[in-house]
Amino acid sequence: MKRGLIILCYWLLAFTATAQEKQINPELLNQQWPSRWISHPEGPQRDYGVFHFRKVFQLTSVPKNFVIHVSADNRYRLFVNGKAVSMGPARGDLYNWYYETIDLAPFLKAGDNIIAAKVWNMGVHAPVAQVSNQTALVVQGDNKEASIVNTNNTWKVLRDPAYSPVSTDNGPRLRAYMVIGPGDKVEGAQYPWGWESVDFNDSGWVNAAAIASPAPFGKGTDNLWTLVPRNIPQMEETQQRILKVRRAEGIEKDEGFLTGKKAFSIPANKKVSILLDQTFNTIAYPELLLSKGKGASVKMTFAEALVDEQGNKKNRDQVEGMHINGNYDIFVADGGDKRLFRPLWMRTYRYVQLDIETKDEALQIDDIYGMYTGYPFEETAKFSSSDASLKNLWDVGWRTARLCAGETYYDCPYYEQLQYEADTRIQALISLYVSGDDRLARKAILDFYHSMVPEGLTQGRYPSNRLQVIPPFSLWWVSMIYDYFMHRDDKAFTAEFLTGISSVLTWYKKHLDPEKGILGPMPWWNFVDYTHVFPNGVPDGADDGNSSVISLQYVYTLQQAAKIFDYHGKSQQAEQYRALASKIAKRTYELCYDKSKGLMANTPEFKAYSQHANIMAVLTDAIPKAAQQALMKRVIADTTLGPATFYYRFYLNQALKAADLADLYYGQLTPWRDMLKMGLTTFAEKPEPARSDCHAWSASPNYDFLATICGIMPEDIGFSSVLIKPALGELSYANGSMPHPKGTIQVDLKRKGKTGLKAKVNLPANLKGNLVWNGKSIPLTGGVQEIDL
């Protein structure tokens, strides 16, 4: 197979497209690196530990370029002459261990320089999203001059005794699945303050131990990590001020210190509690600057929402009668001036509570703020309409999407920070439409490809240090590839996944019931939606056989795969997929369609009915076209059907569009409006009671406002032509613009009477398409055109 060569070529192409835009010395891609992976010679290699590495080196002058490549296990933060210059590595796995490429020249000076790295291993407390081998650091210069900083036994290392893990009981304490890693406790008196500066005395440190030769992809015979270039940009970090003090106990309330311009003093031998409110949900590295107060303890607790005595959330703005319960960090002051505490990993919060206990010296809070972090998406799309309230939905949706995007997409930033296919498909579409940046989407498709198990399925989430297989999510992975295929002209990239797609579809084919012709019993976790009628998200018939919902999702995916395989010249396989899809759809209709009710049942037993089964029936045309409008009207009106939650309402809208009922979308936004009424500033995982207040799969309005209301969609593969099919609903006008690989698509849409439309469309040069309104199609070309229908 040419798979290795294809992947290596892809990494090279993808890397040059990142924000770093650094070229890599070809020799480093084709041989083991001269540097070494290094670690502490006596420190634990797979257990919890925080380590500081440093090397002083001399330069006679500052070079024009000084490019290095750096990585670590689990994580690192790199400093040059005291300035933080890189964090990483981007999360992957041992087969695809990412390294960052950085030009250090802007941070160097003539004479003595210091390169230093804080490296940590969370051991058994590590996030589930963190794959690991053992504690280690590698730095490799890109050329001979930069090789002076190569990691080897000339580097010095210290295991930091100041750190210990806390908040390790989050799951049972919060009664939720929470796997983001521990909090930090830092004893200031034991921390090596100034360790990253060139004049720090490291005479008590030991020389690092070389443990392995770094091997790039396709090289090496005994790799601990296989190195590949980072294919996404560095994460954003922007200072974000905390805005309010909502409550103060044991001390007078004072918000002055939140501005950073006024210090706040806590008297000696005092216990105080201060509740801070960011006023909106965020993800950031909180930074706390303290002076004096030797022995004082500051506990920082983070939460998306406060809870009552029974642990229930109410309106998210409510403070009275509510308290905080969340993950936390602890900092113990050493009495020094301007001591900066920053946790090793980012925290998600709207509320932050400071519980402070001083000893015999007053403690001074000099400053506190967050360094907002996340994938550096830019909001290039715009949307406005005659309903001004949609602007708030747009803003909250985009905040939700941004908080759920880092080195991977996250399902939720507070509890898991794991990348699941079902969430990621929706997130990737939002990214493409609102920012136009497709790099994280490409990385996600690759991540899931790398997760494949011998059975032929992808894992349900990845990267992950625990195995979880969710068969329907493997189908959504294929849908992700289809979406990318429709939105980007990137044949070489999609070709890489044909074998994986075939593997997934073959797994499902093996699980067809030979007598009934639809899916029989299936192993693993057959999650579809967290609706209350599906126990643990699993629909009727998934585990014991004959689920119409998943059978039709399989049909949906076969239909998409057929288009992909046709495009790649695999017409025979494409036709096989089409024929199989048609056969399963026909059998599902025959077995599960209840003619008396005019509904698709969840199984042939006709015991339960859901929106999900009928949504999929429309999306696959398992229901005859002539019956689809009546069916979808019943689906949104019949309250006896198992309801779709926020997540699956994405597919509800797709089915409305397929049935030519997209005008009903605007009236389906009540669940999102209700979340805003509850004080939510990001969209929740599911209806109340919700675990996660920020869940990316609920941010679909940011896609739908452009793709449904404005009606902007790819008309052909690779977005080579555009279809604009507006669905204004009750809106009198809507304006939208979105990025396209060739430029910007802009539409201004106004109703004329009950059935007319006045449209102004501006397409990039060399882009063609069609505007469709009330069954009439108008050709579009590049440039501005005004249409009066």
Side-chain angles (χ1 to χ4, degrees), residues 416-430:
E416 298 184 46
Q417 294 176 13
L418 284 162
Q419 182 173 251
Y420 292 84
E421 288 100 328
D423 308 68
T424 301
R425 185 194 182 190
I426 298 169
Q427 291 170 276
L429 285 168
I430 295 168

Side-chain angles (χ1 to χ4, degrees), residues 284-456:
Y285 289 94
E287 295 195 349
L288 177 65
L289 196 64
L290 302 177
S291 294
K292 312 294 189 223
K294 185 176 181 180
S297 171
V298 181
K299 179 181 179 182
M300 302 175 66
T301 304
F302 307 93
E304 293 184 303
L306 304 181
V307 294
D308 63 17
E309 292 302 320
Q310 288 73 44
N312 300 317
K313 301 176 184 178
K314 295 183 179 178
N315 187 292
R316 304 311 192 261
D317 298 327
Q318 183 175 334
V319 169
E320 187 176 351
M322 310 292 282
H323 67 276
I324 200 166
N325 187 22
N327 60 315
Y328 61 87
D329 300 304
I330 298 174
F331 179 64
V332 182
D334 69 320
D337 287 335
K338 301 292 172 62
R339 298 304 202 198
L340 179 64
F341 171 66
R342 168 183 164 126
L344 296 170
W345 193 239
M346 55 199 172
R347 305 297 183 225
T348 304
Y349 58 88
R350 171 177 170 173
Y351 291 98
V352 182
Q353 184 160 297
L354 305 179
D355 290 299
I356 304 169
E357 183 174 358
T358 57
K359 300 300 183 183
D360 294 335
E361 184 180 23
L363 175 71
Q364 181 171 295
I365 301 178
D366 296 302
D367 205 356
I368 184 172
Y369 50 85
M371 293 299 293
Y372 168 81
T373 189
Y375 187 92
F377 282 125
E378 293 184 15
E379 184 183 356
T380 59
K382 294 182 173 63
F383 176 81
S384 61
S385 73
S386 55
D387 181 351
S389 70
L390 296 189
K391 177 65 165 59
N392 201 9
L393 292 176
W394 172 275
D395 291 342
V396 170
W398 184 234
R399 181 184 296 126
T400 304
R402 291 221 61 195
L403 266 57
C404 294
E407 293 167 354
T408 63
Y409 288 109
Y410 311 140
D411 62 327
C412 57
Y414 190 84
Y415 291 92
E416 298 184 46
Q417 294 176 13
L418 284 162
Q419 182 173 251
Y420 292 84
E421 288 100 328
D423 308 68
T424 301
R425 185 194 182 190
I426 298 169
Q427 291 170 276
L429 285 168
I430 295 168
S431 301
L432 290 174
Y433 267 67
V434 181
S435 76
D437 188 337
D438 56 26
R439 290 171 291 182
L440 193 59
R442 291 203 308 264
K443 180 180 184 295
I445 291 170
L446 279 164
D447 287 341
F448 292 125
Y449 182 47
H450 298 150
S451 80
M452 295 193 80
V453 299
E455 280 184 73

Side-chain angles (χ1 to χ4, degrees), residues 168-178 325:
T168 56
D169 63 341
N170 284 333
R173 182 163 48 84
L174 301 180
R175 293 178 292 174
Y177 183 66
M178 189 167 183
N325 187 22

